[in-house]
Structures are given as structure tokens and as C-alpha cells.
Amino acid sequence: MRSAVAGLDLRPALEAVLMVVDEPATEEHLAKILQRPRRAVAVALRELADEYTAQGRGFELRLVAGGWRYYTRPAYAPAVEGFVLDGQHARLTQAALETLAVVAYRQPVSRSRVSAVRGVNCDGVMRTLLQRGLVEEAGAEPETGAILYRTTNYFLERMGLRGLDELPELAPFLPEADAIEAETQEGLPSFDPDAPDAPDARDADDQTEL
């Protein structure tokens, strides 16, 4: 089997493997599987990516979250969405997007901190993001023992990012966000569902996830 794999043409072999991966494949892993030098694999991957772009194919080969994977080309998103969704809603709610953004830019961060920034209880949304694999636990806060959360490699994959350093710059908005957080830390309403005037334990948006 090893000699058979080593004797395959590299580029078609890479295409065949990448067609069946369920997460980005690293150059090291591909080199090991195909029994080729990593440099040769890296060159072949970039040649394939450039070739698909030059040909205007409906898919592209991208380096995302440390590995390579096929993605549909953004220009053809309407066609893909129409086929996959077929009238069903599969996008994150506004509440989930806001919560995910807070985690992405302030990670590692606790649930209470996220709730303070948003001004509402985010427990329901955080559970959904955990279930979707977009965020994960990242230890505990030393001072309070609260669980901290961060985004995952799956988040990078879904966003099409190589790393967190590719997140859009938010400097123009940070002063306003800090002001909102400062105001909400002291005046944050009670999240006790049994309190007379307390809001529901979950946002209305939290009831309808993806």
C-alpha cells in the first residue's frame, strides 16, 4: 500500500484526499499520508488553489485554521444556500452573533462578562454556541473561579480565518463598548427568573437558534 500511495501523482492525490476531509488538513498530515516532502505538498496545494482561481471554478482551496480544505466560492453562495437551506433558516440569531462577537474579541471571557457587555443574560445563547462547537471552555478566572470561554478552530474555519489576528479591527468602536460595559456592570438588571421585574432568563432571540 505504501508503494502504491507513493507512486500516485501528487496533485490528483491531494484533490482526492481533500474531497473527503471533514476539517482542514495540515500540510504535515497530507505529507505523511501521501509520503511526500512537506515542501512539495505545500507547493502543490498553492498551485491547485491558484489554478482553481484562474479557471473561475465554483469552489476554491483555502488555508484556514492551519489546514487546507475546499470551500464553495463566495460568488456562488446564493446557489449553495438555496440548495442547502431549501427554505429553512440555518443562520445564527442576532443574539448569538452578538454573543459570539464578544467572546471572539474579549477572549478568554466569562459568561457574566459577556452578559455585562450585552446588557442581557446570555446563558441560553452560550449553551447554543458551545453545542455548535463555536466556543469552548478555557479554564477558570483566578479571582472568581468563573469558567472562561474562547472561540474554537471550528469558529476560524467557519469564518474563513487563518487566525484571530485576522479578525476585523475594532479600535474605532472600543471606547463606546467599554462605556457600555462600565454602565452595565453596576446597573445590570437581575437575572433571577423569579424576581418580580426580572427579564426572562433567556433572550427571546435565544429561543430560536440557528
Side-chain angles (χ1 to χ4, degrees):
M1 176 179 175
R2 293 183 62 82
S3 58
V5 171
L8 296 173
D9 289 339
L10 179 56
R11 292 187 10 162
L14 284 169
E15 290 177 320
V17 172
L18 291 172
M19 288 290 262
V20 299
V21 299
D22 56 7
E23 60 183 21
T26 65
E27 293 171 1
E28 293 89 343
H29 190 199
L30 291 170
K32 178 181 178 181
I33 295 299
L34 299 178
Q35 301 167 34
R36 304 296 178 87
R38 176 185 171 180
R39 181 175 179 79
V41 169
V43 170
L45 287 167
R46 284 165 176 77
E47 288 178 348
L48 285 172
D50 291 342
E51 182 178 302
Y52 298 147
T53 299
Q55 294 176 349
R57 306 295 289 271
F59 58 89
E60 59 186 356
L61 183 58
R62 279 196 264 164
L63 177 61
V64 172
W68 292 84
R69 187 178 182 183
Y70 284 118
Y71 290 84
T72 55
R73 201 168 293 278
Y76 300 98
V80 176
E81 289 177 359
F83 176 78
V84 175
L85 301 182
D86 191 22
Q88 300 179 8
H89 297 289
R91 295 182 178 180
L92 287 171
T93 63
Q94 184 66 30
L97 287 171
E98 291 174 2
T99 301
L100 185 57
V102 174
V103 175
Y105 283 97
R106 292 177 175 264
Q107 61 186 304
V109 63
S110 65
R111 290 192 186 192
S112 61
R113 191 74 164 175
V114 176
S115 294
V117 173
R118 290 195 59 219
V120 291
N121 187 352
C122 66
D123 287 355
V125 169
M126 285 293 287
R127 281 193 292 271
T128 294
L129 296 177
L130 283 165
Q131 292 169 355
R132 298 290 182 179
L134 294 169
V135 301
E136 63 184 3
E137 294 185 3
E141 197 170 45
E143 298 81 4
T144 66
I147 297 176
L148 298 173
Y149 297 90
R150 65 189 175 198
T151 54
T152 63
N153 280 337
Y154 180 62
F155 164 80
L156 295 176
E157 178 187 340
R158 298 296 294 177
M159 294 296 292
L161 303 173
R162 292 184 178 88
L164 294 174
D165 58 335
E166 290 192 353
L167 284 169
E169 179 60 50
L170 281 187
F173 306 100
L174 288 180
E176 180 180 357
D178 289 339
I180 292 175
E181 181 174 356
E183 292 175 1
T184 56
Q185 281 183 330
E186 292 186 0
L188 195 63
S190 170
F191 293 136
D192 182 357
D194 297 324
D197 299 321
D200 191 281
R202 301 181 184 178
D203 295 344
D205 286 343
D206 297 349
Q207 305 302 320
T208 305
E209 305 300 350
L210 280 181

